[in-house]
Amino acid sequence: MRTIVEAKQIKKAFGAEGNVLHVLHGIDMTVQEGEFVGIMGASGSGKTTLLNILATIDQPTSGEIRIDGDDILQLGEEELSAFRRDKLGFIFQDYNLLDTLTVKENILLPLALAKQNAAEMEQRVRQIAERFGIASILDKYPVQISGGQKQRTAASRAMVTKPRLILADEPTGALDSRAATELLESLKELNEQEQATILIVTHDSFAASYCSRVLFIKDGAMFSELVKGSTSRKEFFKKILDVLTVLGGNSSDLV
């Protein structure tokens, strides 16, 4: 199985000499092709900082990172831009949709930027919209649809190019329980049927229970890991809660 993410001794510090805040303390992690991995930890644990570094939004103070074989810390700005476009998909808590574009146009955007064939773009948009249950709202604008539909549109946009890695920052954070479940079920289906590799940061134990593996970070260091294996989602959910209890918090305050 191909390794999609390989991070070694990732450290991150903010500030100048005499006033330095160390956020990450030598994180090692790997993500294999087709995995659905969650990252959890208390507020200030460094989980979002780690995601931003893997997403090439931020850079570590030191360490090594390879994503799909590319040493991302050695890429120039133009190379990074192409790398993000071609290999990464992003799902944000606040959707990041363009209000002046329809649902279909928002989903199409990454394909248009990659200058793909019009017929192929149309086919891929239809396929992904049906997978996420939004084929009936493709002609609507973001202001006309619900929060759950917005997030499924954002997820469709992230997936439409079939990226090597999908990165999601609190994807269910702004959703009610029904919309969150619909999104998670769609992500799980994509992971299982298309072998999509997904990495999410979440404070929500319910969301994490959909993952095949969950990494727990405490005070900027790797604390623990849970592998779902053949365990039911309900039982995995209970195991996640047990680790959070040991971490010193519950799912409602691990933000």
Side-chain angles (χ1 to χ4, degrees), residues 190-209:
L190 264 170
N191 168 252
E192 292 176 347
Q193 296 186 11
E194 294 192 19
Q195 289 296 291
T197 306
I198 305 171
L199 180 63
I200 71 169
V201 161
T202 182
H203 70 277
D204 184 359
S205 303
F206 177 75
S209 71

Side-chain angles (χ1 to χ4, degrees), residues 29-31 35-41 47 50-51 54 165-171 184 191 197-217 222 224-228 236 240 244:
M29 65 174 288
T30 59
V31 177
E35 276 200 293
F36 190 167
V37 178
I39 300 176
M40 300 190 80
K47 62 186 185 298
L50 177 60
L51 186 77
L54 296 175
L165 176 66
I166 295 98
L167 298 143
D169 185 11
E170 302 285 5
L184 291 164
N191 168 252
T197 306
I198 305 171
L199 180 63
I200 71 169
V201 161
T202 182
H203 70 277
D204 184 359
S205 303
F206 177 75
S209 71
Y210 278 83
C211 297
S212 55
R213 184 161 59 101
V214 180
L215 307 175
F216 299 87
I217 295 178
M222 202 64 75
S224 182
E225 174 185 272
L226 278 180
V227 178
K228 185 178 182 182
F236 195 47
I240 291 168
L244 295 182

Side-chain angles (χ1 to χ4, degrees), residues 2-58:
R2 184 178 176 86
T3 299
I4 298 298
V5 177
E6 185 177 17
K8 296 180 179 178
Q9 286 299 295
I10 302 303
K11 297 181 180 180
K12 180 65 178 179
F14 294 98
E17 189 175 341
N19 187 28
V20 178
L21 174 63
H22 295 279
V23 179
L24 297 177
H25 303 276
I27 296 284
D28 292 326
M29 65 174 288
T30 59
V31 177
Q32 304 300 320
E33 186 173 27
E35 276 200 293
F36 190 167
V37 178
I39 300 176
M40 300 190 80
S43 178
S45 64
K47 62 186 185 298
T48 298
T49 298
L50 177 60
L51 186 77
N52 287 341
I53 288 172
L54 296 175
T56 73
I57 294 169
D58 198 359

Side-chain angles (χ1 to χ4, degrees), residues 54-109:
L54 296 175
T56 73
I57 294 169
D58 198 359
Q59 283 205 330
T61 304
S62 63
E64 301 175 26
I65 306 172
R66 287 188 175 276
I67 297 180
D68 197 32
D70 291 310
D71 184 346
I72 64 171
L73 302 182
Q74 299 302 315
L75 299 179
E77 277 305 314
E78 286 189 12
E79 292 172 311
L80 267 179
S81 179
F83 176 83
R84 292 187 196 107
R85 183 192 67 218
D86 297 337
K87 293 197 174 185
L88 302 181
F90 300 95
I91 306 174
F92 302 98
Q93 182 176 347
D94 58 359
Y95 320 127
N96 280 16
L97 300 177
L98 297 176
D99 291 336
T100 56
L101 300 181
T102 64
V103 166
K104 180 180 179 179
E105 290 166 343
N106 267 285
I107 298 171
L108 270 173
L109 193 57

Side-chain angles (χ1 to χ4, degrees), residues 36 91 95 128-137 145-156 159 171-191 198 204 206-207 209-210 233:
F36 190 167
I91 306 174
Y95 320 127
I128 202 75
E130 287 174 7
R131 178 65 62 88
F132 277 95
I134 55 172
S136 63
I137 61 165
I145 62 178
S146 69
Q149 290 170 327
K150 288 177 183 178
Q151 192 59 296
R152 281 182 279 152
T153 299
S156 297
M159 304 283 192
T172 61
L175 305 181
D176 60 33
S177 59
R178 179 179 176 181
T181 300
E182 289 174 347
L183 175 67
L184 291 164
E185 289 286 352
S186 295
L187 290 175
K188 180 171 176 279
E189 188 176 295
L190 264 170
N191 168 252
I198 305 171
D204 184 359
F206 177 75
S209 71
Y210 278 83
R233 192 183 62 76

